[in-house]
Amino acid sequence: LLAVVSLITFILYFCGYWLLPRAPVKERLAASVCAAYVNNGLAIVFAYQFFSARAALPAVLVSFPMVFSIVPVRGVARRLLAGRSEW
């Protein structure tokens, strides 16, 4: 399940990046992070409060690849912005 969620996270990063094809690279990277990093904290709290801890489990599992994927995404961003004064 965690592998599937990780794959979906990276697909969302990719889709978010290509969502704004004519925008500057910085804006495309911001869109990429926004597309992948949805408000999971709110989903966890709502699921736990209104349903059960078991209902909150998928939202918790989605949080792990999103948090741990920020480091590789930062590396990709540095490569995309290499030689530019935007970073």
Side-chain angles (χ1 to χ4, degrees):
L1 180 63
L2 198 55
V4 171
V5 171
S6 298
L7 179 65
I8 291 170
T9 299
F10 285 109
I11 289 171
L12 288 172
Y13 277 126
F14 183 76
C15 290
Y17 184 79
W18 292 106
L19 192 65
L20 304 170
R22 294 186 187 128
V25 175
K26 274 181 89 170
E27 291 180 22
R28 292 174 78 181
L29 291 170
S32 173
V33 171
C34 288
Y37 199 78
V38 294
N39 196 347
N40 286 344
L42 185 61
I44 293 168
V45 170
F46 279 176
Y48 185 75
Q49 184 174 0
F50 295 115
F51 300 106
S52 66
R54 190 173 180 182
L57 185 62
V60 171
L61 290 177
V62 167
S63 297
F64 286 110
M66 288 187 180
V67 170
F68 291 123
S69 66
I70 291 294
V71 174
V73 168
R74 184 175 184 197
V76 170
R78 283 186 174 169
R79 273 190 256 135
L80 288 172
L81 294 172
R84 299 179 188 201
S85 62
E86 296 177 14
W87 189 253

